[in-house]
Amino acid sequence: MMAIIGMFFQDGLTGSAWGDWALYTASPMRAFENELGAQAPLGFFDPLGFSSDGDAYSFLRRRSVEIKHGRICMLATMGYITPELTGKFPGFLSPGSGLKFADVPNGLAAIGKVPAAGWFQIFSWMAFCEVGAGYDADVNEKKDPGNMGWRPPLLATDNPEIKKRRLASELANGRLAMMAIIGMFFQ
């Protein structure tokens, strides 16, 4: 039943029940298929159709958010793994509470262990970083998504091919890290 409904849908989109996608070139769903991040084997992957309207600003904002979340998740993944391998900081996380760094577990179990003042510091730092970088400044100022004006000394390049390869790697690794940190939280 699902297969026949899918064939009807393809027939409406492409004019062929067998889905000759090459015939359907005017679709807004094809507006971003050649953008950075459209990688094998899936190509441009938008299963919920967020980009189906072809709005370039919305696409750039979503790409910017994807890059930022990927960067945060890459750091979070390393932050989850590193204490398991190297050990935790010596001393106290909260001297007033008598809470040592070694007493705080990894993952979601840490939420209940960190005192309220610690969460306030964490969220204050996040707000400082977001406001200091200019919320959505990369998209609103017509820069490349994720370009916050800082050039990492060992990674920055002016060679367009190397830059494209590195940005594609960052997107792929960020996507992997987003899945990895969720898996680590719920293992």
Side-chain angles (χ1 to χ4, degrees):
M1 188 163 126
M2 292 301 287
I4 194 67
I5 290 172
M7 289 174 71
F8 287 144
F9 181 71
Q10 272 185 331
D11 191 37
L13 279 179
T14 64
S16 166
W18 307 110
D20 188 2
W21 189 244
L23 298 176
Y24 195 62
T25 58
S27 171
M29 294 191 310
R30 297 194 63 169
F32 307 111
E33 70 179 7
N34 294 322
E35 290 290 328
L36 187 69
Q39 299 170 341
L42 298 176
F44 180 68
F45 185 67
D46 184 17
L48 298 178
F50 288 132
S51 300
S52 62
D53 60 357
D55 183 16
Y57 178 81
S58 295
F59 173 78
L60 291 176
R61 184 175 185 294
R62 285 189 197 100
R63 177 53 50 91
S64 171
V65 169
E66 178 185 20
I67 291 169
K68 290 175 190 176
H69 287 169
R71 290 172 180 169
I72 291 167
C73 288
M74 285 187 270
L75 290 170
T77 302
M78 289 306 301
Y80 194 99
I81 295 170
T82 303
E84 295 290 325
L85 297 175
T86 63
K88 298 183 180 179
F89 290 126
F92 288 92
L93 174 66
S94 176
S97 304
L99 182 64
K100 295 181 179 182
F101 285 105
D103 297 337
V104 179
N106 276 352
L108 296 176
I111 292 173
K113 294 280 187 178
V114 176
W119 286 113
F120 177 74
Q121 290 173 348
I122 291 168
F123 283 107
S124 296
W125 175 252
M126 290 168 39
F128 172 77
C129 289
E130 194 67 38
V131 170
Y135 182 76
D136 279 350
D138 53 335
V139 177
N140 292 332
E141 295 174 8
K142 309 289 189 229
K143 297 181 194 173
D144 294 329
N147 179 359
M148 301 310 290
W150 180 69
R151 290 175 52 99
L154 299 176
L155 299 175
T157 181
D158 292 324
N159 183 326
E161 285 302 314
I162 294 174
K163 184 176 182 179
K164 183 178 178 180
R165 184 172 47 87
R166 287 181 180 171
L167 290 174
S169 296
E170 180 183 24
L171 271 170
N173 291 334
R175 291 169 181 167
L176 178 61
M178 286 186 251
M179 295 296 113
I181 195 65
I182 291 298
M184 288 179 190
F185 280 155
F186 293 105
Q187 68 179 355

